[in-house]
Amino acid sequence: MSAGTSNVWHPNTQMSEWDAFDSISRGDGVWLTDSKGFRMIDGVASMWCNVWGHSNREMVRAIVRQAEKLQHSPLFNLTHEPAEKLARGLVGMSPGMHRVLYSENGSSAVETAVKVAFQYWTNEGDAGRTAIASLERGYHGDTLGAMSAGHVPEFFDRYRQHMFDAIELPVPVQGGVGGGRNGAAATAPAPDALQRCIEGISDTLSARRGEVAAVIMESGAQMAGGARIFEPSFQEEVGGICRENDILLIVDEVATGFGRLGPMCVYSAERSKPDIAVYGKMLTGGYLPLAATLATGRVYESFLGAYDEQRHLFHGHTFAGNPIAAAAANKNLSMYEKYDMASHVSKASKVLADRIAEHLSDMEAVGEIRCRGLLAGIELAAGRGATAAADTAPPATSINRIIYEAGRRNGVYLRTLGNVVMLVPPLAITASEIGTLVERTAKTIRDAAPSLLPRT
Ligand SMILES: *Cc1c(COP(=O)(O)O)cnc(C)c1O
């Protein structure tokens, strides 16, 4: 379809760069088929959300069964079993959590978390807690409140004057597993970098404890910030600092929870004890939009009181907890157990790391590579630093578009973040499909490399 006859405005896209978009008409396992019958392997789990592959029969049947019974009923004055069951499931897998608020996307779920944190303090009679603190290069979504909580300047600077200011905290990230010949060897941060970072966070938060309502951080790794994986123990230490200073901790597991990095619940694996947790992308296996904000009993109870005290949460979405989406999430959760997804991911992530080492780590065009679970961030040597430096001039053509088109020719669907090629496949991907994905990605980078050279 030519862009001239389309009325769709695509997300985060310079529309003038694209004459047309490939139209996907079928999904089947890890494969996407376009309207011309051309097949691509889904290298980004259709925006990091697909778990079981496309058109999984068990998932589809659960959705159809629920649609035939009750397609929508709100949670205003009412409840329904799919939402109840899912809340039990989510609380069950999330240590410390007690209640679940539903929304339809990660950004809304983050905004819900931020509103809960702000109001928690006014409910507690502390009017001074008006600030959010968050990590450098953290990403929490694209709505105004979620953008405000994030720090990815190249995404948010356009809107800065309309956002609230969040206190920025430093972040230590792990170096890569392999470096390109061309530079950036596997760079473990200096041994004391973690310690200095923790001290910086501790100093800032203790100096400003009276104003900070909550710290928000992605759990395990920063995804949109460029697949930046946290140092072990970092998350636990941040949690400790929050507790020492009586500041709420919000963990954003929208991209990393549900097995992307291995564990279902990353904060628990990282021994962190948040007050609020947010799930999104993989919650319904990538089948329907749904997100969840979980709160501990301590947070929840601060909202209880006589009606005229007006302590309740003034927040709610029309489709919050939609029964079909909740039924999809319930089926998804039960399938993690039924098919022992934890051990699959643990094996598959080794295969991914091995195939990457085999096909990508010696490539001229590749800089640092960062892997954890079924996430790999492959930094291209060209444009290195583009994601790190806010003041770098953007390239004339987006690296994303060059990589997408080369990927398409090689039968792999990719979307980059700045100069980082993200491999984020559906979790159920098999070992041989991982091989195909990595080989096609390597070929794509090789083909695209000449177009990615810096302009002189
Ligand atoms: C994608 C993402 C969000 C926003 O979710 P949407 O469903 O796109 O609104 C929030 N936080 C993180 C960590 C994400 O990766």
Side-chain angles (χ1 to χ4, degrees), residues 48 105-107 139-141 218 252 254-255 281:
W48 316 345
N105 60 76
S107 306
Y139 175 84
H140 303 288
E218 284 161 86
D252 178 349
V254 169
K281 291 186 168 84

mmCIF file of all heavy atoms in Angstrom, residues 48 105-107 139-141 218 252 254-255 281, ligand 1:
data_model
loop_
_atom_site.group_PDB
_atom_site.id
_atom_site.type_symbol
_atom_site.label_atom_id
_atom_site.label_comp_id
_atom_site.label_asym_id
_atom_site.label_seq_id
_atom_site.Cartn_x
_atom_site.Cartn_y
_atom_site.Cartn_z
ATOM 1 N N TRP A 48 8.182 -6.367 21.447
ATOM 2 C CA TRP A 48 8.638 -6.931 22.714
ATOM 3 C C TRP A 48 7.521 -7.590 23.524
ATOM 4 O O TRP A 48 7.669 -7.803 24.723
ATOM 5 C CB TRP A 48 9.320 -5.873 23.612
ATOM 6 C CG TRP A 48 10.276 -4.965 22.930
ATOM 7 C CD1 TRP A 48 10.838 -5.106 21.695
ATOM 8 C CD2 TRP A 48 10.831 -3.745 23.457
ATOM 9 N NE1 TRP A 48 11.689 -4.068 21.423
ATOM 10 C CE2 TRP A 48 11.694 -3.212 22.490
ATOM 11 C CE3 TRP A 48 10.663 -3.074 24.676
ATOM 12 C CZ2 TRP A 48 12.398 -2.018 22.676
ATOM 13 C CZ3 TRP A 48 11.360 -1.887 24.862
ATOM 14 C CH2 TRP A 48 12.215 -1.364 23.865
ATOM 15 N N ASN A 105 -2.282 -0.072 28.720
ATOM 16 C CA ASN A 105 -0.930 0.034 28.144
ATOM 17 C C ASN A 105 0.040 0.415 29.245
ATOM 18 O O ASN A 105 -0.358 0.904 30.309
ATOM 19 C CB ASN A 105 -0.904 1.056 27.006
ATOM 20 C CG ASN A 105 -1.308 2.424 27.484
ATOM 21 O OD1 ASN A 105 -0.537 3.114 28.135
ATOM 22 N ND2 ASN A 105 -2.524 2.813 27.182
ATOM 23 N N GLY A 106 1.314 0.205 28.965
ATOM 24 C CA GLY A 106 2.343 0.428 29.973
ATOM 25 C C GLY A 106 2.413 1.872 30.439
ATOM 26 O O GLY A 106 2.608 2.144 31.623
ATOM 27 N N SER A 107 2.250 2.813 29.512
ATOM 28 C CA SER A 107 2.338 4.224 29.894
ATOM 29 C C SER A 107 1.254 4.573 30.908
ATOM 30 O O SER A 107 1.521 5.243 31.917
ATOM 31 C CB SER A 107 2.176 5.123 28.664
ATOM 32 O OG SER A 107 3.090 4.760 27.655
ATOM 33 N N TYR A 139 13.222 4.731 30.765
ATOM 34 C CA TYR A 139 12.077 4.956 29.874
ATOM 35 C C TYR A 139 10.845 4.322 30.510
ATOM 36 O O TYR A 139 10.873 3.148 30.896
ATOM 37 C CB TYR A 139 12.315 4.335 28.496
ATOM 38 C CG TYR A 139 11.108 4.450 27.598
ATOM 39 C CD1 TYR A 139 10.882 5.607 26.854
ATOM 40 C CD2 TYR A 139 10.163 3.427 27.527
ATOM 41 C CE1 TYR A 139 9.751 5.736 26.055
ATOM 42 C CE2 TYR A 139 9.026 3.548 26.728
ATOM 43 C CZ TYR A 139 8.837 4.704 25.993
ATOM 44 O OH TYR A 139 7.712 4.826 25.209
ATOM 45 N N HIS A 140 9.751 5.097 30.585
ATOM 46 C CA HIS A 140 8.545 4.578 31.223
ATOM 47 C C HIS A 140 7.289 4.811 30.403
ATOM 48 O O HIS A 140 6.180 4.632 30.919
ATOM 49 C CB HIS A 140 8.417 5.164 32.628
ATOM 50 C CG HIS A 140 9.616 4.882 33.477
ATOM 51 N ND1 HIS A 140 9.885 3.618 33.961
ATOM 52 C CD2 HIS A 140 10.654 5.662 33.863
ATOM 53 C CE1 HIS A 140 11.035 3.650 34.639
ATOM 54 N NE2 HIS A 140 11.522 4.869 34.589
ATOM 55 N N GLY A 141 7.443 5.236 29.149
ATOM 56 C CA GLY A 141 6.272 5.403 28.301
ATOM 57 C C GLY A 141 6.210 6.791 27.692
ATOM 58 O O GLY A 141 7.037 7.660 27.997
ATOM 59 N N GLU A 218 13.271 0.956 35.819
ATOM 60 C CA GLU A 218 13.026 -0.290 35.111
ATOM 61 C C GLU A 218 13.678 -1.415 35.908
ATOM 62 O O GLU A 218 14.619 -1.185 36.663
ATOM 63 C CB GLU A 218 13.608 -0.214 33.692
ATOM 64 C CG GLU A 218 12.743 0.618 32.756
ATOM 65 C CD GLU A 218 13.493 1.095 31.529
ATOM 66 O OE1 GLU A 218 13.550 0.357 30.547
ATOM 67 O OE2 GLU A 218 14.036 2.219 31.563
ATOM 68 N N ASP A 252 9.318 -0.751 37.205
ATOM 69 C CA ASP A 252 8.652 -0.851 35.914
ATOM 70 C C ASP A 252 9.143 -2.131 35.237
ATOM 71 O O ASP A 252 10.261 -2.192 34.728
ATOM 72 C CB ASP A 252 8.994 0.408 35.100
ATOM 73 C CG ASP A 252 8.375 0.393 33.707
ATOM 74 O OD1 ASP A 252 7.851 -0.664 33.292
ATOM 75 O OD2 ASP A 252 8.437 1.434 33.033
ATOM 76 N N VAL A 254 7.438 -3.490 32.754
ATOM 77 C CA VAL A 254 6.613 -3.551 31.547
ATOM 78 C C VAL A 254 7.328 -4.331 30.443
ATOM 79 O O VAL A 254 6.732 -5.177 29.785
ATOM 80 C CB VAL A 254 6.240 -2.125 31.066
ATOM 81 C CG1 VAL A 254 5.625 -2.157 29.669
ATOM 82 C CG2 VAL A 254 5.273 -1.472 32.052
ATOM 83 N N ALA A 255 8.623 -4.055 30.269
ATOM 84 C CA ALA A 255 9.349 -4.723 29.180
ATOM 85 C C ALA A 255 10.127 -5.942 29.661
ATOM 86 O O ALA A 255 10.374 -6.867 28.899
ATOM 87 C CB ALA A 255 10.306 -3.747 28.510
ATOM 88 N N LYS A 281 3.825 -5.229 28.593
ATOM 89 C CA LYS A 281 4.000 -5.855 27.282
ATOM 90 C C LYS A 281 3.639 -7.345 27.179
ATOM 91 O O LYS A 281 2.816 -7.707 26.375
ATOM 92 C CB LYS A 281 5.428 -5.620 26.790
ATOM 93 C CG LYS A 281 5.638 -4.135 26.444
ATOM 94 C CD LYS A 281 6.973 -3.868 25.828
ATOM 95 C CE LYS A 281 7.069 -2.478 25.240
ATOM 96 N NZ LYS A 281 7.414 -1.403 26.179
HETATM 97 C C1 LIG B 1 7.045 -0.020 26.444
HETATM 98 C C2 LIG B 1 7.339 0.459 27.828
HETATM 99 C C3 LIG B 1 6.436 1.283 28.534
HETATM 100 C C4 LIG B 1 5.211 1.850 27.890
HETATM 101 O O1 LIG B 1 4.306 0.880 27.521
HETATM 102 P P1 LIG B 1 3.245 1.174 26.341
HETATM 103 O O2 LIG B 1 2.358 -0.021 26.379
HETATM 104 O O3 LIG B 1 4.036 1.301 25.079
HETATM 105 O O4 LIG B 1 2.546 2.438 26.696
HETATM 106 C C5 LIG B 1 6.728 1.597 29.835
HETATM 107 N N1 LIG B 1 7.847 1.145 30.427
HETATM 108 C C6 LIG B 1 8.731 0.371 29.788
HETATM 109 C C7 LIG B 1 9.924 -0.116 30.517
HETATM 110 C C8 LIG B 1 8.516 0.014 28.463
HETATM 111 O O5 LIG B 1 9.422 -0.725 27.811
#
